[in-house]
Amino acid sequence: AALGKNIVNTTAKFQGLDNAIVTASGSAIAGANNLKFLNDQVDKLGLDINAAYSGYKTLSGALMGTALEGDKANTVFRQVSEASTVMGLSGEQTEGAFLALGQMMSKGTVSAEELRGQLGERIPGAFQIAARAMGVTTMQLGEMMKAGEVVSEDFLPKFGAELEKT
């Protein structure tokens, strides 16, 4: 009976995540494509499925209606997932990294709290990687964040590319 209850609960949880991803995708077809992409990444990289689905839901929801929606979101997801795998991050750390990136996007600008705190606690060297991505020193990046000059929509693809390069 307990096993049956666990199966039902797990199925309901993943159905909710599927529904959220399809909704954030804008259409059933785009949602199906994104779920296929997500499952391919889980299989290819050996990601924790729960963390991958939750992280993807958070990131894609935050990117809804922005220039990063769709394929660009998938690119960032792939880059961060690959880096997480290479660094040996846990599912919880990976999910936390996506939560931090989603919060950055929701706010519109990158703050030190999310970059140094939340993301930096999960991805080693995140602040230095971010500075390289923006083509500035860490000191300059800190000043840019204080002034609200680091726009999330510009930062996220650059950070993903630099993370992949690193």
Side-chain angles (χ1 to χ4, degrees):
L3 177 61
K5 185 176 180 178
N6 283 342
I7 290 171
V8 169
N9 288 340
T10 300
T11 301
K13 179 179 181 179
F14 277 97
Q15 186 61 53
L17 289 168
D18 281 359
N19 291 342
I21 290 167
V22 169
T23 299
S25 300
S27 73
I29 293 171
N33 290 337
N34 286 336
L35 287 170
K36 181 183 179 335
F37 162 79
L38 180 56
N39 287 319
D40 289 346
Q41 293 301 301
V42 166
D43 290 343
K44 176 183 171 188
L45 300 172
L47 300 172
D48 175 290
I49 191 166
N50 185 47
Y53 267 65
S54 294
Y56 188 87
K57 176 193 72 145
T58 299
L59 184 64
S60 62
L63 297 176
M64 248 172 78
T66 72
L68 301 180
E69 184 175 35
D71 288 340
K72 290 179 183 176
N74 288 348
T75 298
V76 171
F77 180 85
R78 179 190 53 75
Q79 291 165 326
V80 174
S81 295
E82 286 176 355
S84 296
T85 299
V86 169
M87 292 180 198
L89 301 184
S90 69
E92 185 178 310
Q93 289 171 311
T94 302
E95 186 177 350
F98 285 117
L99 176 62
L101 294 172
Q103 288 176 346
M104 288 177 194
M105 282 305 299
S106 294
K107 291 181 178 178
T109 57
V110 178
S111 73
E113 176 188 341
E114 279 107 16
L115 182 55
R116 281 192 169 139
Q118 295 176 21
L119 194 60
E121 289 173 9
R122 289 158 177 90
I123 297 179
F127 194 73
Q128 291 79 7
I129 293 167
R132 285 194 308 270
M134 299 303 290
V136 298
T137 66
T138 54
M139 183 179 282
Q140 289 169 320
L141 180 60
E143 293 300 318
M144 290 170 66
M145 287 190 302
K146 281 182 189 173
E149 297 172 348
V150 183
V151 178
S152 304
E153 208 166 304
D154 178 49
F155 169 79
L156 201 57
K158 290 178 180 178
F159 178 76
E162 186 64 29
L163 185 61
E164 183 174 41
K165 180 180 165 187
T166 301

PDB file of all heavy atoms in Angstrom, residues 109-110 140-150:
ATOM      1  N   THR A 109      17.561  42.616 -13.145  1.00  0.00           N
ATOM      2  CA  THR A 109      18.978  42.944 -12.998  1.00  0.00           C
ATOM      3  C   THR A 109      19.613  41.919 -12.062  1.00  0.00           C
ATOM      4  O   THR A 109      18.943  41.294 -11.253  1.00  0.00           O
ATOM      5  CB  THR A 109      19.208  44.355 -12.415  1.00  0.00           C
ATOM      6  OG1 THR A 109      18.543  44.455 -11.156  1.00  0.00           O
ATOM      7  CG2 THR A 109      18.712  45.436 -13.357  1.00  0.00           C
ATOM      8  N   VAL A 110      20.917  41.797 -12.189  1.00  0.00           N
ATOM      9  CA  VAL A 110      21.661  40.854 -11.359  1.00  0.00           C
ATOM     10  C   VAL A 110      22.127  41.583 -10.112  1.00  0.00           C
ATOM     11  O   VAL A 110      22.735  42.649 -10.194  1.00  0.00           O
ATOM     12  CB  VAL A 110      22.873  40.287 -12.136  1.00  0.00           C
ATOM     13  CG1 VAL A 110      23.679  39.340 -11.264  1.00  0.00           C
ATOM     14  CG2 VAL A 110      22.401  39.587 -13.407  1.00  0.00           C
ATOM     15  N   GLN A 140      34.949  45.657 -10.998  1.00  0.00           N
ATOM     16  CA  GLN A 140      34.063  46.396 -11.902  1.00  0.00           C
ATOM     17  C   GLN A 140      32.666  45.773 -11.914  1.00  0.00           C
ATOM     18  O   GLN A 140      31.663  46.497 -11.927  1.00  0.00           O
ATOM     19  CB  GLN A 140      34.633  46.411 -13.321  1.00  0.00           C
ATOM     20  CG  GLN A 140      35.866  47.275 -13.465  1.00  0.00           C
ATOM     21  CD  GLN A 140      36.575  47.067 -14.805  1.00  0.00           C
ATOM     22  OE1 GLN A 140      36.695  45.939 -15.297  1.00  0.00           O
ATOM     23  NE2 GLN A 140      37.031  48.161 -15.393  1.00  0.00           N
ATOM     24  N   LEU A 141      32.605  44.457 -11.894  1.00  0.00           N
ATOM     25  CA  LEU A 141      31.302  43.787 -11.874  1.00  0.00           C
ATOM     26  C   LEU A 141      30.534  44.150 -10.611  1.00  0.00           C
ATOM     27  O   LEU A 141      29.337  44.427 -10.661  1.00  0.00           O
ATOM     28  CB  LEU A 141      31.467  42.269 -11.988  1.00  0.00           C
ATOM     29  CG  LEU A 141      30.165  41.457 -11.985  1.00  0.00           C
ATOM     30  CD1 LEU A 141      29.254  41.857 -13.150  1.00  0.00           C
ATOM     31  CD2 LEU A 141      30.470  39.959 -12.043  1.00  0.00           C
ATOM     32  N   GLY A 142      31.227  44.175  -9.491  1.00  0.00           N
ATOM     33  CA  GLY A 142      30.584  44.570  -8.235  1.00  0.00           C
ATOM     34  C   GLY A 142      30.008  45.973  -8.313  1.00  0.00           C
ATOM     35  O   GLY A 142      28.881  46.225  -7.873  1.00  0.00           O
ATOM     36  N   GLU A 143      30.766  46.893  -8.890  1.00  0.00           N
ATOM     37  CA  GLU A 143      30.290  48.275  -9.052  1.00  0.00           C
ATOM     38  C   GLU A 143      29.106  48.346 -10.015  1.00  0.00           C
ATOM     39  O   GLU A 143      28.153  49.087  -9.789  1.00  0.00           O
ATOM     40  CB  GLU A 143      31.431  49.181  -9.541  1.00  0.00           C
ATOM     41  CG  GLU A 143      32.537  49.384  -8.535  1.00  0.00           C
ATOM     42  CD  GLU A 143      32.052  50.025  -7.235  1.00  0.00           C
ATOM     43  OE1 GLU A 143      31.245  50.971  -7.287  1.00  0.00           O
ATOM     44  OE2 GLU A 143      32.482  49.553  -6.166  1.00  0.00           O
ATOM     45  N   MET A 144      29.181  47.577 -11.090  1.00  0.00           N
ATOM     46  CA  MET A 144      28.078  47.549 -12.066  1.00  0.00           C
ATOM     47  C   MET A 144      26.799  47.026 -11.417  1.00  0.00           C
ATOM     48  O   MET A 144      25.710  47.556 -11.660  1.00  0.00           O
ATOM     49  CB  MET A 144      28.449  46.668 -13.269  1.00  0.00           C
ATOM     50  CG  MET A 144      29.523  47.257 -14.172  1.00  0.00           C
ATOM     51  SD  MET A 144      30.133  46.061 -15.389  1.00  0.00           S
ATOM     52  CE  MET A 144      28.680  45.808 -16.412  1.00  0.00           C
ATOM     53  N   MET A 145      26.925  46.006 -10.569  1.00  0.00           N
ATOM     54  CA  MET A 145      25.743  45.469  -9.890  1.00  0.00           C
ATOM     55  C   MET A 145      25.167  46.482  -8.912  1.00  0.00           C
ATOM     56  O   MET A 145      23.951  46.640  -8.831  1.00  0.00           O
ATOM     57  CB  MET A 145      26.074  44.151  -9.188  1.00  0.00           C
ATOM     58  CG  MET A 145      26.251  42.996 -10.153  1.00  0.00           C
ATOM     59  SD  MET A 145      26.377  41.366  -9.379  1.00  0.00           S
ATOM     60  CE  MET A 145      27.765  41.565  -8.294  1.00  0.00           C
ATOM     61  N   LYS A 146      26.028  47.168  -8.180  1.00  0.00           N
ATOM     62  CA  LYS A 146      25.560  48.204  -7.248  1.00  0.00           C
ATOM     63  C   LYS A 146      24.768  49.277  -7.971  1.00  0.00           C
ATOM     64  O   LYS A 146      23.783  49.798  -7.459  1.00  0.00           O
ATOM     65  CB  LYS A 146      26.740  48.862  -6.521  1.00  0.00           C
ATOM     66  CG  LYS A 146      27.294  48.059  -5.391  1.00  0.00           C
ATOM     67  CD  LYS A 146      28.426  48.817  -4.705  1.00  0.00           C
ATOM     68  CE  LYS A 146      29.139  47.937  -3.718  1.00  0.00           C
ATOM     69  NZ  LYS A 146      30.335  48.590  -3.160  1.00  0.00           N
ATOM     70  N   ALA A 147      25.209  49.609  -9.186  1.00  0.00           N
ATOM     71  CA  ALA A 147      24.547  50.650  -9.975  1.00  0.00           C
ATOM     72  C   ALA A 147      23.340  50.110 -10.751  1.00  0.00           C
ATOM     73  O   ALA A 147      22.666  50.872 -11.437  1.00  0.00           O
ATOM     74  CB  ALA A 147      25.549  51.284 -10.935  1.00  0.00           C
ATOM     75  N   GLY A 148      23.085  48.807 -10.655  1.00  0.00           N
ATOM     76  CA  GLY A 148      21.956  48.209 -11.373  1.00  0.00           C
ATOM     77  C   GLY A 148      22.167  48.120 -12.871  1.00  0.00           C
ATOM     78  O   GLY A 148      21.215  48.122 -13.650  1.00  0.00           O
ATOM     79  N   GLU A 149      23.435  48.026 -13.283  1.00  0.00           N
ATOM     80  CA  GLU A 149      23.778  48.040 -14.710  1.00  0.00           C
ATOM     81  C   GLU A 149      23.902  46.658 -15.343  1.00  0.00           C
ATOM     82  O   GLU A 149      24.151  46.563 -16.540  1.00  0.00           O
ATOM     83  CB  GLU A 149      25.108  48.787 -14.902  1.00  0.00           C
ATOM     84  CG  GLU A 149      25.056  50.237 -14.501  1.00  0.00           C
ATOM     85  CD  GLU A 149      26.422  50.900 -14.524  1.00  0.00           C
ATOM     86  OE1 GLU A 149      27.452  50.197 -14.628  1.00  0.00           O
ATOM     87  OE2 GLU A 149      26.465  52.134 -14.407  1.00  0.00           O
ATOM     88  N   VAL A 150      23.764  45.601 -14.560  1.00  0.00           N
ATOM     89  CA  VAL A 150      23.901  44.254 -15.113  1.00  0.00           C
ATOM     90  C   VAL A 150      22.491  43.719 -15.384  1.00  0.00           C
ATOM     91  O   VAL A 150      21.795  43.250 -14.486  1.00  0.00           O
ATOM     92  CB  VAL A 150      24.682  43.316 -14.166  1.00  0.00           C
ATOM     93  CG1 VAL A 150      24.867  41.944 -14.818  1.00  0.00           C
ATOM     94  CG2 VAL A 150      26.031  43.930 -13.800  1.00  0.00           C
TER      95      VAL A 150
END
